[in-house]
mmCIF file of all heavy atoms in Angstrom:
data_model
loop_
_atom_site.group_PDB
_atom_site.id
_atom_site.type_symbol
_atom_site.label_atom_id
_atom_site.label_comp_id
_atom_site.label_asym_id
_atom_site.label_seq_id
_atom_site.Cartn_x
_atom_site.Cartn_y
_atom_site.Cartn_z
ATOM 1 N N ILE E 270 25.528 98.164 141.452
ATOM 2 C CA ILE E 270 24.928 96.824 141.526
ATOM 3 C C ILE E 270 26.069 95.842 141.751
ATOM 4 O O ILE E 270 27.035 95.817 140.992
ATOM 5 C CB ILE E 270 24.263 96.423 140.209
ATOM 6 C CG1 ILE E 270 23.155 97.399 139.899
ATOM 7 C CG2 ILE E 270 23.673 95.031 140.314
ATOM 8 C CD1 ILE E 270 22.546 97.135 138.545
ATOM 9 N N SER E 271 25.902 95.022 142.766
ATOM 10 C CA SER E 271 26.831 93.888 142.901
ATOM 11 C C SER E 271 26.292 92.792 142.063
ATOM 12 O O SER E 271 25.082 92.522 142.098
ATOM 13 C CB SER E 271 26.950 93.497 144.342
ATOM 14 O OG SER E 271 27.119 92.107 144.439
ATOM 15 N N GLU E 272 27.111 92.067 141.341
ATOM 16 C CA GLU E 272 26.614 91.033 140.450
ATOM 17 C C GLU E 272 25.968 89.934 141.328
ATOM 18 O O GLU E 272 25.055 89.222 140.846
ATOM 19 C CB GLU E 272 27.650 90.438 139.547
ATOM 20 C CG GLU E 272 28.771 89.733 140.284
ATOM 21 C CD GLU E 272 29.916 89.490 139.340
ATOM 22 O OE1 GLU E 272 29.787 88.566 138.526
ATOM 23 O OE2 GLU E 272 30.910 90.181 139.414
ATOM 24 N N ASN E 273 26.365 89.806 142.565
ATOM 25 C CA ASN E 273 25.771 88.740 143.413
ATOM 26 C C ASN E 273 24.288 89.084 143.619
ATOM 27 O O ASN E 273 23.514 88.184 144.037
ATOM 28 C CB ASN E 273 26.420 88.667 144.781
ATOM 29 C CG ASN E 273 27.922 88.458 144.647
ATOM 30 O OD1 ASN E 273 28.555 89.030 143.797
ATOM 31 N ND2 ASN E 273 28.483 87.616 145.516
ATOM 32 N N GLU E 274 23.896 90.340 143.471
ATOM 33 C CA GLU E 274 22.489 90.697 143.799
ATOM 34 C C GLU E 274 21.514 89.943 142.929
ATOM 35 O O GLU E 274 20.431 89.622 143.360
ATOM 36 C CB GLU E 274 22.260 92.215 143.598
ATOM 37 C CG GLU E 274 23.116 93.076 144.488
ATOM 38 C CD GLU E 274 22.883 92.919 145.950
ATOM 39 O OE1 GLU E 274 21.852 92.313 146.300
ATOM 40 O OE2 GLU E 274 23.668 93.386 146.746
ATOM 41 N N VAL E 275 21.836 89.803 141.676
ATOM 42 C CA VAL E 275 20.928 89.114 140.799
ATOM 43 C C VAL E 275 21.344 87.646 140.471
ATOM 44 O O VAL E 275 20.577 86.744 140.590
ATOM 45 C CB VAL E 275 20.716 89.897 139.467
ATOM 46 C CG1 VAL E 275 19.931 89.070 138.468
ATOM 47 C CG2 VAL E 275 19.930 91.142 139.749
ATOM 48 N N THR E 276 22.601 87.541 140.071
ATOM 49 C CA THR E 276 23.129 86.197 139.808
ATOM 50 C C THR E 276 23.250 85.586 141.207
ATOM 51 O O THR E 276 23.901 86.166 142.072
ATOM 52 C CB THR E 276 24.540 86.336 139.171
ATOM 53 O OG1 THR E 276 24.395 87.128 138.045
ATOM 54 C CG2 THR E 276 25.055 84.968 138.800
ATOM 55 N N SER E 277 22.603 84.463 141.377
ATOM 56 C CA SER E 277 22.548 83.922 142.732
ATOM 57 C C SER E 277 23.972 83.648 143.226
ATOM 58 O O SER E 277 24.914 83.412 142.433
ATOM 59 C CB SER E 277 21.703 82.681 142.829
ATOM 60 O OG SER E 277 22.503 81.576 142.450
ATOM 61 N N GLU E 278 24.094 83.650 144.529
ATOM 62 C CA GLU E 278 25.422 83.454 145.198
ATOM 63 C C GLU E 278 26.036 82.212 144.665
ATOM 64 O O GLU E 278 27.224 82.230 144.311
ATOM 65 C CB GLU E 278 25.132 83.336 146.660
ATOM 66 C CG GLU E 278 26.449 83.357 147.538
ATOM 67 C CD GLU E 278 26.908 84.749 147.768
ATOM 68 O OE1 GLU E 278 26.093 85.709 147.747
ATOM 69 O OE2 GLU E 278 28.107 84.988 147.938
ATOM 70 N N THR E 279 25.295 81.095 144.515
ATOM 71 C CA THR E 279 25.900 79.864 144.111
ATOM 72 C C THR E 279 26.428 79.921 142.681
ATOM 73 O O THR E 279 27.569 79.552 142.409
ATOM 74 C CB THR E 279 24.825 78.757 144.101
ATOM 75 O OG1 THR E 279 23.927 79.023 145.108
ATOM 76 C CG2 THR E 279 25.453 77.384 144.198
ATOM 77 N N ILE E 280 25.643 80.569 141.777
ATOM 78 C CA ILE E 280 26.045 80.586 140.421
ATOM 79 C C ILE E 280 27.252 81.506 140.321
ATOM 80 O O ILE E 280 28.261 81.157 139.660
ATOM 81 C CB ILE E 280 24.911 81.126 139.505
ATOM 82 C CG1 ILE E 280 23.769 80.167 139.530
ATOM 83 C CG2 ILE E 280 25.379 81.367 138.080
ATOM 84 C CD1 ILE E 280 22.557 80.657 138.823
ATOM 85 N N TYR E 281 27.186 82.634 140.901
ATOM 86 C CA TYR E 281 28.284 83.636 140.854
ATOM 87 C C TYR E 281 29.545 83.031 141.343
ATOM 88 O O TYR E 281 30.578 83.027 140.702
ATOM 89 C CB TYR E 281 27.881 84.870 141.704
ATOM 90 C CG TYR E 281 29.009 85.787 141.923
ATOM 91 C CD1 TYR E 281 29.378 86.728 140.919
ATOM 92 C CD2 TYR E 281 29.736 85.727 143.114
ATOM 93 C CE1 TYR E 281 30.433 87.576 141.175
ATOM 94 C CE2 TYR E 281 30.804 86.578 143.350
ATOM 95 C CZ TYR E 281 31.149 87.492 142.384
ATOM 96 O OH TYR E 281 32.201 88.307 142.575
ATOM 97 N N THR E 282 29.443 82.437 142.563
ATOM 98 C CA THR E 282 30.690 81.914 143.196
ATOM 99 C C THR E 282 31.238 80.825 142.362
ATOM 100 O O THR E 282 32.413 80.776 142.105
ATOM 101 C CB THR E 282 30.319 81.422 144.607
ATOM 102 O OG1 THR E 282 29.540 82.413 145.236
ATOM 103 C CG2 THR E 282 31.559 81.176 145.395
ATOM 104 N N ASN E 283 30.371 79.930 141.886
ATOM 105 C CA ASN E 283 30.890 78.784 141.165
ATOM 106 C C ASN E 283 31.528 79.144 139.865
ATOM 107 O O ASN E 283 32.561 78.671 139.470
ATOM 108 C CB ASN E 283 29.791 77.790 140.888
ATOM 109 C CG ASN E 283 29.403 77.006 142.124
ATOM 110 O OD1 ASN E 283 30.183 76.934 143.027
ATOM 111 N ND2 ASN E 283 28.177 76.512 142.164
ATOM 112 N N ARG E 284 30.887 80.101 139.110
ATOM 113 C CA ARG E 284 31.461 80.495 137.787
ATOM 114 C C ARG E 284 32.815 81.184 138.033
ATOM 115 O O ARG E 284 33.785 80.939 137.324
ATOM 116 C CB ARG E 284 30.512 81.364 137.019
ATOM 117 C CG ARG E 284 30.599 81.112 135.542
ATOM 118 C CD ARG E 284 29.459 81.770 134.814
ATOM 119 N NE ARG E 284 29.681 81.676 133.327
ATOM 120 C CZ ARG E 284 28.907 82.298 132.448
ATOM 121 N NH1 ARG E 284 27.935 83.098 132.821
ATOM 122 N NH2 ARG E 284 29.145 82.160 131.176
ATOM 123 N N ARG E 285 32.838 82.081 138.996
ATOM 124 C CA ARG E 285 34.088 82.778 139.272
ATOM 125 C C ARG E 285 35.154 81.832 139.849
ATOM 126 O O ARG E 285 36.316 81.882 139.523
ATOM 127 C CB ARG E 285 33.887 83.946 140.287
ATOM 128 C CG ARG E 285 32.954 84.991 139.780
ATOM 129 C CD ARG E 285 33.441 85.550 138.458
ATOM 130 N NE ARG E 285 32.474 86.512 137.915
ATOM 131 C CZ ARG E 285 31.384 86.137 137.268
ATOM 132 N NH1 ARG E 285 31.048 84.886 137.052
ATOM 133 N NH2 ARG E 285 30.543 87.067 136.873
ATOM 134 N N ARG E 286 34.684 80.915 140.682
ATOM 135 C CA ARG E 286 35.690 79.970 141.294
ATOM 136 C C ARG E 286 36.261 79.130 140.182
ATOM 137 O O ARG E 286 37.441 78.840 140.162
ATOM 138 C CB ARG E 286 34.922 79.037 142.301
ATOM 139 C CG ARG E 286 35.922 78.211 143.137
ATOM 140 C CD ARG E 286 35.237 77.241 143.992
ATOM 141 N NE ARG E 286 34.407 77.871 145.026
ATOM 142 C CZ ARG E 286 33.173 77.398 145.358
ATOM 143 N NH1 ARG E 286 32.671 76.319 144.787
ATOM 144 N NH2 ARG E 286 32.479 78.030 146.241
ATOM 145 N N PHE E 287 35.397 78.777 139.167
ATOM 146 C CA PHE E 287 35.911 77.977 138.093
ATOM 147 C C PHE E 287 37.000 78.773 137.323
ATOM 148 O O PHE E 287 38.084 78.247 137.005
ATOM 149 C CB PHE E 287 34.738 77.626 137.168
ATOM 150 C CG PHE E 287 35.244 76.816 136.006
ATOM 151 C CD1 PHE E 287 35.647 75.520 136.158
ATOM 152 C CD2 PHE E 287 35.312 77.388 134.717
ATOM 153 C CE1 PHE E 287 36.117 74.821 135.101
ATOM 154 C CE2 PHE E 287 35.805 76.705 133.648
ATOM 155 C CZ PHE E 287 36.174 75.368 133.833
ATOM 156 N N LEU E 288 36.696 80.042 137.040
ATOM 157 C CA LEU E 288 37.702 80.825 136.347
ATOM 158 C C LEU E 288 38.954 80.931 137.182
ATOM 159 O O LEU E 288 40.055 80.848 136.652
ATOM 160 C CB LEU E 288 37.134 82.254 136.052
ATOM 161 C CG LEU E 288 36.140 82.347 134.910
ATOM 162 C CD1 LEU E 288 35.545 83.747 134.838
ATOM 163 C CD2 LEU E 288 36.726 81.936 133.581
ATOM 164 N N LYS E 289 38.743 81.173 138.474
ATOM 165 C CA LYS E 289 39.952 81.254 139.369
ATOM 166 C C LYS E 289 40.755 80.006 139.313
ATOM 167 O O LYS E 289 41.958 80.038 139.270
ATOM 168 C CB LYS E 289 39.494 81.553 140.789
ATOM 169 C CG LYS E 289 39.093 82.971 141.052
ATOM 170 C CD LYS E 289 38.898 83.179 142.525
ATOM 171 C CE LYS E 289 38.415 84.589 142.794
ATOM 172 N NZ LYS E 289 38.260 84.855 144.184
ATOM 173 N N SER E 290 40.013 78.867 139.345
ATOM 174 C CA SER E 290 40.793 77.617 139.377
ATOM 175 C C SER E 290 41.587 77.430 138.075
ATOM 176 O O SER E 290 42.632 76.820 138.050
ATOM 177 C CB SER E 290 39.863 76.407 139.574
ATOM 178 O OG SER E 290 39.099 76.180 138.431
ATOM 179 N N LEU E 291 41.050 78.018 136.974
ATOM 180 C CA LEU E 291 41.793 77.960 135.735
ATOM 181 C C LEU E 291 43.055 78.796 135.768
ATOM 182 O O LEU E 291 44.047 78.414 135.227
ATOM 183 C CB LEU E 291 40.903 78.475 134.599
ATOM 184 C CG LEU E 291 39.922 77.529 133.929
ATOM 185 C CD1 LEU E 291 39.207 78.292 132.838
ATOM 186 C CD2 LEU E 291 40.683 76.383 133.292
ATOM 187 N N ILE E 292 42.925 79.962 136.396
ATOM 188 C CA ILE E 292 44.021 80.886 136.169
ATOM 189 C C ILE E 292 44.926 80.996 137.419
ATOM 190 O O ILE E 292 45.871 81.764 137.413
ATOM 191 C CB ILE E 292 43.536 82.236 135.709
ATOM 192 C CG1 ILE E 292 42.518 82.851 136.636
ATOM 193 C CG2 ILE E 292 42.979 82.140 134.314
ATOM 194 C CD1 ILE E 292 41.867 84.069 136.115
ATOM 195 N N GLY E 293 44.534 80.308 138.479
ATOM 196 C CA GLY E 293 45.476 80.178 139.592
ATOM 197 C C GLY E 293 45.432 81.294 140.597
ATOM 198 O O GLY E 293 44.534 82.177 140.530
ATOM 199 N N ALA E 294 46.393 81.285 141.527
ATOM 200 C CA ALA E 294 46.321 82.133 142.700
ATOM 201 C C ALA E 294 46.549 83.627 142.375
ATOM 202 O O ALA E 294 46.251 84.491 143.158
ATOM 203 C CB ALA E 294 47.354 81.682 143.680
ATOM 204 N N GLY E 295 47.032 83.959 141.196
ATOM 205 C CA GLY E 295 47.362 85.373 140.939
ATOM 206 C C GLY E 295 46.167 86.221 140.690
ATOM 207 O O GLY E 295 46.307 87.430 140.578
ATOM 208 N N ILE E 296 44.952 85.700 140.587
ATOM 209 C CA ILE E 296 43.816 86.496 140.100
ATOM 210 C C ILE E 296 43.481 87.681 141.010
ATOM 211 O O ILE E 296 43.164 88.764 140.566
ATOM 212 C CB ILE E 296 42.532 85.615 139.906
ATOM 213 C CG1 ILE E 296 41.467 86.478 139.185
ATOM 214 C CG2 ILE E 296 42.046 85.026 141.219
ATOM 215 C CD1 ILE E 296 40.332 85.649 138.723
ATOM 216 N N GLY E 297 43.574 87.484 142.321
ATOM 217 C CA GLY E 297 43.215 88.553 143.244
ATOM 218 C C GLY E 297 43.992 89.805 142.951
ATOM 219 O O GLY E 297 43.377 90.877 142.779
ATOM 220 N N ALA E 298 45.319 89.676 142.797
ATOM 221 C CA ALA E 298 46.137 90.867 142.525
ATOM 222 C C ALA E 298 45.763 91.428 141.189
ATOM 223 O O ALA E 298 45.651 92.676 141.074
ATOM 224 C CB ALA E 298 47.567 90.439 142.524
ATOM 225 N N SER E 299 45.454 90.628 140.180
ATOM 226 C CA SER E 299 45.223 91.156 138.883
ATOM 227 C C SER E 299 43.884 91.960 138.834
ATOM 228 O O SER E 299 43.739 92.830 138.020
ATOM 229 C CB SER E 299 45.100 90.027 137.853
ATOM 230 O OG SER E 299 43.853 89.454 137.864
ATOM 231 N N LEU E 300 42.959 91.650 139.745
ATOM 232 C CA LEU E 300 41.720 92.348 139.670
ATOM 233 C C LEU E 300 41.699 93.634 140.530
ATOM 234 O O LEU E 300 40.781 94.440 140.412
ATOM 235 C CB LEU E 300 40.589 91.436 140.192
ATOM 236 C CG LEU E 300 40.206 90.340 139.227
ATOM 237 C CD1 LEU E 300 39.141 89.425 139.854
ATOM 238 C CD2 LEU E 300 39.760 90.841 137.897
#
Side-chain angles (χ1 to χ4, degrees):
I270 302 174
S271 146
E272 65 194 284
N273 305 39
E274 298 297 346
V275 169
T276 305
S277 83
E278 191 80 26
T279 328
I280 296 173
Y281 167 82
T282 313
N283 285 338
R284 213 168 174 191
R285 297 306 175 279
R286 190 186 297 141
F287 179 71
L288 284 175
K289 280 187 185 183
S290 72
L291 273 180
I292 58 190
I296 189 168
S299 81
L300 288 178

